Amino acid sequence: MEQKLKELQAEALQKIEQTEDLKSLNDIRVAYLGKKGPITEVLRGMGQLSAEERPKMGALANEVRAAISEKIEAKQEALEAAAVEKQLASETIDITLPGRPVKVGNHHPLTKVIEEIEDLFIGMGYQVAEGPEVEKDYYNFEALNLPKGHPARDMQDSFYITEELLLRTHTSPVQARTMEKHEGKGPVKIICPGKVYRRDNDDATHSHQFMQIEGLVVDENITMGDLKGTLQVFAKKMFGEDREIRLRPSFFPFTEPSVEMDITCKICGGEGCSVCKGTGWIEILGAGMVHPNVLEMAGFDSKKYTGFAFGMGPERIAMLKYGIDDIRHFYTNDIRFLKQFAVNE
Ligand code: DAH
């Protein structure tokens, strides 16, 4: 019997040793230590033993049980620990891996230039005004001293929607709309950025849709000196302190007198080169003193109030500022072009 118990122990211990999972370990526990197991069976035969041998065998049987269950416990712990290890290993995050770069966008160069100009004028006390892109013929032309049949209307080949409605050809109608809202009372001090439309064939310097920024100041005692000073500040802030401006006489129906502003050419410093077509000057914008007819039509007393206005093309300004040679770059959204403006965001 002793022999049998020892064999059972050896057999069980070996099986436990070889077990690789908790389920079969439990099967072994049931098989060897359960009520129907071989040890219990051996012990049932104790009745045939002598009185001296019985306690010895009982003690041995208990030892065998204890050894087996101890081994099972130990194996169970080892298997559980191994399972946790395995899970941890499979769930480990390798924090040494470099991350995937996140692509960051940047503002469109036109947006940058417009915001820069807006900030500059907001800093001088201007408000940003907006107007509709589908505009009434009245605001786009008539209220700006361009009555029906006026020859200057031919200069602006327009997209008409009906006889009275068109896609605005400039941002100047916002002047008239804003003055109307002020009901004859100054001061008015606005800039107005927005899209405008003309029937142009697209090429390196023309686009059927482009942007303008309009400026308007109306108050008592506004003079040409105010206009010049404002434009000077604008030019130097936008293009550099070393830039000079000059005002050339020009004509716009809604201003009198009218001027065009040039700045000294950065490329040649005023000597004359291909960019400035040998003149040393580059044209930047149109401006002038608001025509009395325009003030009166918008409800302002032109004897009491005077004003100045200016209009510029941010595309042209961006082209000069960044050395861009084709206006179409702004609209074709070539990512290689756009991402060059990501610096200093
Ligand atoms: N509206 C003019 C254009 O589209 C630009 C312009 C010139 C606006 C002179 C003005 C101005 O306000 O005073 O060409």
Side-chain angles (χ1 to χ4, degrees):
M1 185 173 273
E2 188 180 339
Q3 176 69 16
K4 180 87 186 154
L5 280 171
K6 291 214 163 125
E7 271 172 25
L8 276 172
Q9 175 173 354
E11 189 187 294
L13 293 186
Q14 195 193 0
K15 278 195 182 159
I16 294 165
E17 188 67 51
Q18 286 164 354
T19 308
E20 287 304 334
D21 64 281
L22 289 162
K23 164 131 191 1
S24 36
L25 187 66
N26 200 43
D27 291 347
I28 295 170
R29 187 200 316 272
V30 174
Y32 284 88
L33 304 177
K35 282 198 185 111
K36 290 178 191 148
I39 299 178
T40 317
E41 199 158 301
V42 171
L43 289 176
R44 259 194 219 120
M46 289 234 292
Q48 290 146 22
L49 294 176
S50 65
E52 292 143 44
E53 270 193 304
R54 229 176 273 160
K56 262 169 68 190
M57 277 309 123
L60 181 63
N62 280 339
E63 264 171 43
V64 170
R65 262 179 196 282
I68 293 172
S69 86
E70 214 172 89
K71 183 86 180 171
I72 288 175
E73 291 292 273
K75 185 74 185 187
Q76 182 162 348
E77 257 173 48
L79 284 178
E80 279 171 359
V84 170
E85 278 294 299
K86 201 172 149 197
Q87 192 180 359
L88 280 179
S90 73
E91 287 175 3
T92 305
I93 297 165
D94 182 356
I95 55 164
T96 63
L97 270 180
R100 290 191 187 89
V102 178
K103 287 205 178 95
V104 180
N106 58 277
H107 281 126
H108 191 279
L110 262 186
T111 307
K112 285 180 90 157
V113 165
I114 290 168
E115 285 184 355
E116 198 179 334
I117 297 172
E118 277 179 6
D119 286 350
L120 184 83
F121 281 100
I122 288 169
M124 295 197 278
Y126 287 65
Q127 287 185 326
V128 178
E130 279 182 4
E133 287 170 34
V134 177
E135 185 54 284
K136 289 183 174 156
D137 179 276
Y138 174 78
Y139 288 112
N140 197 77
F141 293 126
E142 280 185 62
L144 296 168
N145 207 26
L146 277 129
K148 285 204 161 71
H150 190 289
R153 284 192 176 200
D154 292 340
M155 281 161 39
Q156 303 187 336
D157 272 354
S158 319
F159 290 112
Y160 271 93
I161 292 161
T162 66
E163 250 179 45
E164 294 305 324
L165 277 181
L166 73 161
L167 295 181
R168 67 179 177 193
T169 58
H170 50 179
T171 44
S172 303
V174 187
Q175 287 188 29
R177 285 179 172 274
T178 310
M179 278 191 279
E180 264 187 12
K181 278 197 210 123
H182 275 73
E183 297 179 337
K185 279 198 280 301
V188 179
K189 219 174 164 186
I190 54 150
I191 57 159
C192 162
K195 293 192 196 85
V196 301
Y197 304 84
R198 291 191 197 169
R199 266 175 190 268
D200 270 328
N201 287 325
D202 294 1
D203 62 24
T205 52
H206 293 85
S207 172
H208 61 283
Q209 180 206 302
F210 56 102
M211 303 283 299
Q212 279 193 342
I213 299 183
E214 191 82 11
L216 173 71
V217 174
V218 177
D219 205 351
E220 292 175 38
N221 304 318
I222 297 291
T223 70
M224 195 89 183
D226 297 315
L227 171 62
K228 188 172 179 186
T230 305
L231 295 180
Q232 216 152 23
V233 170
F234 163 73
K236 286 184 188 278
K237 283 266 164 57
M238 222 38 216
F239 297 102
E241 285 299 321
D242 54 339
R243 296 302 193 89
E244 296 300 327
I245 68 161
R246 78 173 179 190
L247 301 180
R248 260 184 305 109
S250 184
F251 173 77
F252 300 103
F254 32 90
T255 45
E256 180 59 36
S258 303
V259 293
E260 271 170 312
M261 180 186 90
D262 300 337
I263 59 166
T264 42
C265 177
K266 185 167 79 176
I267 312 288
C268 62
E271 298 282 300
C273 65
S274 63
V275 173
C276 59
K277 300 188 186 94
T279 64
W281 296 93
I282 291 172
E283 186 192 321
I284 297 289
L285 53 76
M289 300 306 289
V290 183
H291 197 291
N293 287 355
V294 174
L295 288 169
E296 294 286 342
M297 271 187 281
F300 275 77
D301 179 353
S302 64
K303 294 207 174 54
K304 187 174 170 202
Y305 285 104
T306 49
F308 67 75
F310 55 86
M312 63 182 108
E315 283 91 345
R316 182 169 169 75
I317 291 175
M319 285 166 90
L320 290 170
K321 204 170 152 72
Y322 297 118
I324 298 162
D325 60 1
D326 194 319
I327 196 171
R328 289 168 293 197
H329 286 313
F330 292 117
Y331 311 114
T332 42
N333 287 331
D334 184 333
I335 205 79
R336 292 166 304 178
F337 169 74
L338 295 177
K339 75 180 178 199
Q340 294 176 51
F341 300 90
V343 285
N344 302 329
E345 285 265 308

